Amino acid sequence: MTEPAGYWNETRRMVRETARSFTDTVVLPAANRLDPEKGDIPQALIDQMGDLGFFGILIPEAEGGLGLGVFEYCLVAEELARGWMSVASIIARGNGFYRSVPAGDEAERSQRVQAMARGRYLGAFAMSEPNAGSDVSAVTCRARRDGDDWVITGSKYWCTFADGADFISVVCRTAEPEAGKRHLGLTIIPVEKPRGQLPAGVTGSPIPKIGYFGWRTWELHFDNVRVAAGHTGGGEGSGSAFYSIASTLEGARAHTAARSIGAAQGAFEHALAYAKEREQFGRPIADFQAIRFKLATMATEIEAARQLMYFVCHEIDSGRRCDKEAAMAKYFAAEMAERVTSEALQILGGAGYTTLHPVERYWRDARLTKIFEGSSEIQQRIIADALLGKPSRA
């Protein structure tokens, strides 16, 4: 991969090399062993990531983190996804949650943020519902005030790490929506819980997925769950929850682009090595033009996605608005990842369709990147609206 002038410094090289070495020695062996049996990411691996500072990349140094930017965050995510996309995703449970840590006072908050930076206090996010996915304003899970408490009732879907987290940030409707302003009246309410369990008053079951193993994704039901109202995110019924979610999307889409690129890179590297070793008709299949051209195209698409991601990360860290470009990066990288991982599987032939090789894992996981953090169609809509303006309506 290339290092364009202006993007690279010693810190970024060190961050990338640290993540790359950790992936090769720890993440890949764990993924190859546990993904075929749908096993969980080991706690020891999570603890090691915490010791390396991966959960606190975006947390300011004054609050116990590394105080780095989205660029470094995505460098780490890409390398981790090259081993196991779920591991690249779990770092968001610190980096993406430190502003919404539930706490009674500033001292308590500081203590929890410092623990979060070490991976010892992590969050989960419950926004989607059976009828509310890309349309956040369609959230119907209710929270009503009862004295000093919120009382939450409703259902949530696609809540990954609901059991393993220390708290769940639940997007709730706290005020009736106005006509034409359905996005108002939403509040983010953090619900604390013991690690390894669901909160008291919450029932649920894991959703049977075809990939993204390593942790469980839940359907949850809140039945008059009582939460102290000492800390809420996004403002009480002010509509700020919607804008708070929207404000994080550029970084989230860059992170998803990084995960897509990492999965594609992992599949590419395995296919490249396999092509050099696998012999047919008396010579390595890497000698055949059909395979060589596949690998050339795969490498080109990965690098194109990477450079677009680098640009978006640089713009975010420079404080410039880049919602269109972030949507482009996420869209292009996700679509690319599905193509590249599929081609990697094709290069392996029948061997690629077994769990004896990791390319099927990269293929299954890459397919998800076109769906979560805003589907490819949502990204196309954002890009089109930026180019053409909102569509006219009768």
Side-chain angles (χ1 to χ4, degrees), residues 197-390:
Q197 303 176 30
L198 297 180
V202 177
T203 58
S205 57
I207 299 168
K209 304 175 292 185
I210 65 170
Y212 207 35
F213 301 136
W215 50 356
R216 285 175 289 275
T217 300
W218 291 77
E219 178 178 10
L220 303 175
H221 306 284
F222 293 76
D223 184 10
N224 290 311
V225 175
R226 189 170 289 270
V227 183
H231 177 92
T232 57
E236 183 177 322
S238 66
S240 298
F242 177 88
Y243 297 116
S244 176
I245 294 166
S247 71
T248 66
L249 290 178
E250 288 181 4
R253 287 169 182 154
H255 178 226
T256 302
R259 289 180 285 173
S260 304
I261 294 163
Q265 183 70 35
F268 169 77
E269 290 176 4
H270 193 85
L272 183 69
Y274 184 88
K276 293 177 180 178
E277 297 171 359
R278 172 66 167 168
E279 291 190 1
Q280 288 288 279
F281 307 104
R283 53 181 171 155
I285 62 172
D287 281 357
F288 297 109
Q289 188 180 74
I291 302 300
R292 299 172 72 85
F293 281 12
K294 282 183 186 294
L295 291 166
T297 301
M298 292 158 70
T300 301
E301 292 195 343
I302 292 170
E303 191 61 30
R306 181 179 288 122
Q307 296 303 323
L308 179 54
M309 179 194 70
Y310 284 170
F311 170 76
V312 167
C313 291
H314 180 72
E315 292 299 288
I316 295 171
D317 288 339
S318 299
R320 289 187 283 271
R321 181 83 181 269
C322 60
D323 51 341
K324 178 187 71 176
E325 293 79 5
M328 287 177 169
K330 195 273 183 187
Y331 168 66
F332 184 80
E335 296 288 326
M336 174 278 297
E338 186 186 26
R339 289 193 301 271
V340 166
T341 55
S342 181
E343 286 286 65
L345 195 153
Q346 186 71 17
I347 289 170
L348 268 69
Y353 205 67
T354 73
T355 57
L356 300 174
H357 294 269
V359 290
E360 60 84 29
R361 175 177 78 245
Y362 294 122
W363 180 53
R364 285 184 285 106
D365 288 351
R367 185 60 183 84
L368 179 59
T369 64
K370 293 175 59 173
I371 299 172
F372 67 7
E373 296 292 353
S375 67
S376 288
E377 291 75 19
I378 289 291
Q379 308 312 316
Q380 288 175 303
R381 176 182 174 180
I382 293 167
I383 298 163
D385 286 353
L387 295 173
L388 301 167
K390 298 287 186 180

Side-chain angles (χ1 to χ4, degrees), residues 5-47:
Y7 283 163
W8 289 94
N9 54 43
E10 288 307 308
T11 297
R12 287 176 175 172
R13 292 189 182 95
M14 181 183 68
V15 166
R16 185 181 63 183
E17 290 306 314
T18 298
R20 180 174 297 171
S21 175
F22 180 73
T23 296
D24 289 339
T25 58
V26 180
V27 179
L28 262 171
N32 291 338
R33 183 178 76 256
L34 294 170
D35 185 87
E37 61 189 48
K38 303 181 182 180
D40 289 343
I41 301 168
Q43 184 60 49
L45 191 156
I46 295 173
D47 291 342

